[in-house]
Amino acid sequence: MNITMNRTELLHAVKRAAAVAPANSPLEALKGVLVEVSAARKSLVLTATNLEVTLKQKLACAAPEDDALAIDARLLAGMLEKLPGDTVELRRMPGDSRLAVWSGDAKYNVSVWEGRSYPKVEIPAVTNLVRISGIPSMAKRTVFAADENNEKPMLKCVQFRVTQDGLRAAGSDGTCVVTARGDSKSTGEFSVLIPAPSLSRLAQMCEDKDEFRAGVNGKNIVFVREGFLFSARLIQEKYIDTDFLTSSLKNQFTVLTDVAELRRALDNVSCVEPDGKVQLSFEGMTLSFRCGGVHGSAQNAVTVAPLTGMPQGEYWYLTKRLNNCLRSLSGTAALGIAAGGMLTLDTEHAFYMQAGVRPGAPQSVPQKEAKKPAAGKKAA
């Protein structure tokens, strides 16, 4: 290998690869990124996988000969970040177990694995690709509601739907549900369950303006754009009927409010009991937040505009879940209370619902089939 690359371009690609490569693995080479240089194609291809998601990136590169090696992804990212200069050189003699990486007067010599020691990655070919954009916003509105520690695999996932009306997604941990609307131009016909961490990784690698072509093949979903391919393993289970849940809810009353004001009010009071419960009380045009714990008590109020019904009563919710929701939403919201104290928040891009709790007895979101609380993770 004897190549010269733009250091910043290579650094960005290696950082994305390091976000996929596992920090710990029984297979040492899996902690690395596979670096493949092709003289004929004048390209450098970086591959990283944790066996759940796989990332391939292609960069233009003039090389005198082919070579393939694997190097610790985080180590390479760290070196590229510290090196000076606009370009970086990567060199090794045929069969050498060390790679020289340098720029300017700074130089590293590090151990590498031969490319054949890296696990073979099979990415299925996908046809019938559909246009997808706005991935980071979609992930922000839904990933927080999934529960990585839940025993039910579906509740660790985000339901990702491409419909004739555009992109839709949903997340739930069994006690709260959020449904989100995405780009209306992303039209097609498929519905899959993507593990929340996999969708989060993709969201961290792109911007809302980035446009992908996406498709499903068997147990994988693949997102493609020029020089970039991301594949994620899917969960094969039936998801909660979120359309039924949201359409069956009838609010006793609703008020118009601002998500940022709700977030500030909850932040102010939750400092005394961040992992406990918060009380929301309604009286006319005032919504009050109250928290109490071993460190004391706090109260904050916001002004709201009544829309339907008579805003009144006191209701309790799990603070952390409500906080996570408010951090993911923005803009104006219609806040409502349905039967059983179910809280709803309806914004331009998302609809959120959280079951009310009594100080010692949290409730769950009902599912369509049994019309009983879901058997997801119970709140403390």
Side-chain angles (χ1 to χ4, degrees), residues 118-135:
Y118 197 81
K120 189 174 182 180
V121 177
E122 297 289 347
I123 298 179
V126 178
T127 57
N128 300 323
L129 298 175
V130 299
R131 174 190 176 277
I132 299 287
S133 63
I135 294 293

Side-chain angles (χ1 to χ4, degrees), residues 204-278:
Q204 292 165 6
M205 298 176 189
C206 62
E207 300 177 6
D208 280 332
K209 65 181 181 181
D210 291 333
E211 184 174 305
F212 294 92
R213 299 292 170 178
V216 178
N217 188 326
K219 297 181 179 180
N220 294 81
I221 184 169
V222 179
F223 297 85
V224 183
R225 60 183 169 90
E226 185 177 359
F228 183 101
L229 186 152
F230 183 94
S231 173
R233 190 183 300 274
L234 301 172
I235 298 298
Q236 306 295 322
E237 283 199 7
K238 186 177 179 181
Y239 201 64
I240 300 168
D241 189 341
T242 55
D243 289 339
F244 167 79
L245 285 175
T246 55
S247 64
S248 63
L249 278 177
K250 303 298 181 184
N251 286 321
Q252 298 171 357
F253 62 83
T254 58
V255 298
L256 187 66
T257 184
D258 182 77
V259 172
E261 290 187 10
L262 296 178
R263 186 166 54 244
R264 283 192 293 269
L266 183 56
D267 280 343
N268 287 341
V269 302
S270 63
C271 59
V272 299
E273 188 75 2
D275 296 318
K277 301 175 179 65
V278 59

Side-chain angles (χ1 to χ4, degrees), residues 255-323:
V255 298
L256 187 66
T257 184
D258 182 77
V259 172
E261 290 187 10
L262 296 178
R263 186 166 54 244
R264 283 192 293 269
L266 183 56
D267 280 343
N268 287 341
V269 302
S270 63
C271 59
V272 299
E273 188 75 2
D275 296 318
K277 301 175 179 65
V278 59
Q279 181 194 65
L280 273 64
S281 60
F282 298 83
E283 185 175 352
M285 299 182 64
T286 301
L287 165 57
S288 297
F289 290 81
R290 295 185 180 89
C291 276
V294 295
H295 302 296
S297 61
Q299 177 176 338
N300 201 348
V302 296
T303 300
V304 297
L307 291 177
T308 64
M310 178 65 71
Q312 60 183 340
E314 299 177 352
Y315 309 89
W316 288 87
Y317 303 96
L318 296 176
T319 305
K320 184 172 289 186
R321 287 197 180 95
L322 185 55
N323 230 330

Side-chain angles (χ1 to χ4, degrees), residues 148-162:
E148 291 185 44
N149 300 314
N150 201 292
E151 61 183 17
K152 287 183 171 291
M154 73 171 183
L155 298 182
K156 301 178 181 181
C157 298
V158 169
Q159 183 191 41
F160 196 86
R161 298 164 56 199
V162 180

